[in-house]
Amino acid sequence: MIQALGNRVRSVRTLGQRFWRQPSGATAVEFGLIAVPFFFLKMAIIETALVFWASQLLESGVAEAGRQIRTGQVQEAGIGAEDFRQMVCQSAGVLFDCGDRLQVDVQRSVTFDAADLSAPPVDAAGEFSGAFGFQPGGPSETVIVRAFYRWPLLFNFFGLDASDIAGQQRLLVATTAFRNEPF
């Protein structure tokens, strides 16, 4: 019985030595060592590209919806804050969930210099909060439209975290400032 156990140990040892000496398995081992960092890098690149793409779509949506204010179409149609938020979301594209993740702030200002473009409404704990108004202004008034979207991040590996607000989310901000036409 002891001899049988010794034979098994020797056969396992011999199998291990053959495994390390065979070059045919080297490719599989090398791939195993490189696969994790490779796929991590690939996922990080894809997520970064999605964030930039979403940010660009939000900028386009805010510019398109802001054009409706600038030309007086929003004021003449009596469009309210919620309808304008839906207009921004529809103009932004298919990547956005038009639920409570999107907040729009429309404010009028006396001049461009007096516009309140303070930091995004994020408190010290990283929580998104704020009071959002809707003042599309009248003819020839200065208007600032800001949209905030809480983009959910999917990947957080090795301490690399692109979130800037609580809940593993990235705050996308789009702003446009203009003077209304004399409608």
Side-chain angles (χ1 to χ4, degrees):
M1 179 161 199
I2 295 177
Q3 186 178 8
L5 184 60
N7 287 340
R8 285 188 182 184
V9 170
R10 273 191 296 265
S11 66
V12 169
R13 187 179 305 147
T14 306
L15 181 64
Q17 290 171 350
R18 282 190 293 161
F19 176 74
W20 286 108
R21 290 182 188 155
Q22 288 293 325
S24 61
T27 304
V29 172
E30 290 170 356
F31 178 75
L33 294 172
I34 300 298
V36 172
F38 172 74
F39 286 115
F40 164 71
L41 183 62
K42 193 172 191 172
M43 288 184 289
I45 289 170
I46 289 171
E47 185 164 63
T48 302
L50 276 173
V51 168
F52 280 122
W53 185 28
S55 182
Q56 182 60 41
L57 287 176
L58 185 62
E59 286 282 349
S60 297
V62 167
E64 182 65 33
R67 189 174 294 119
Q68 303 297 317
I69 291 176
R70 182 174 46 231
T71 58
Q73 295 173 2
V74 168
Q75 294 89 328
E76 290 173 1
I79 293 175
E82 181 59 30
D83 292 333
F84 184 74
R85 189 178 75 80
Q86 288 297 326
M87 188 183 303
V88 170
C89 193
Q90 289 173 356
S91 298
V94 297
L95 288 181
F96 296 97
D97 173 22
C98 292
D100 62 340
R101 291 187 173 278
L102 177 69
Q103 298 294 331
V104 178
D105 182 35
V106 178
Q107 54 182 300
R108 68 175 179 226
S109 178
V110 178
T111 62
F112 286 106
D113 292 338
D116 179 23
L117 296 176
S118 58
V122 178
D123 63 13
E127 295 291 333
F128 180 75
S129 62
F132 304 101
F134 185 73
Q135 301 173 350
S140 301
E141 287 188 318
T142 303
V143 178
I144 292 88
V145 178
R146 297 190 312 167
F148 304 96
Y149 188 82
R150 296 184 312 262
W151 182 267
L153 297 173
L154 303 174
F155 303 111
N156 180 10
F157 296 108
F158 306 120
L160 180 64
D161 189 6
S163 65
D164 58 356
I165 58 175
Q168 197 173 349
Q169 299 176 56
R170 179 100 180 149
L171 185 63
L172 304 180
V173 180
T175 304
T176 184
F178 50 86
R179 185 175 313 275
N180 284 344
E181 294 178 359
F183 48 88

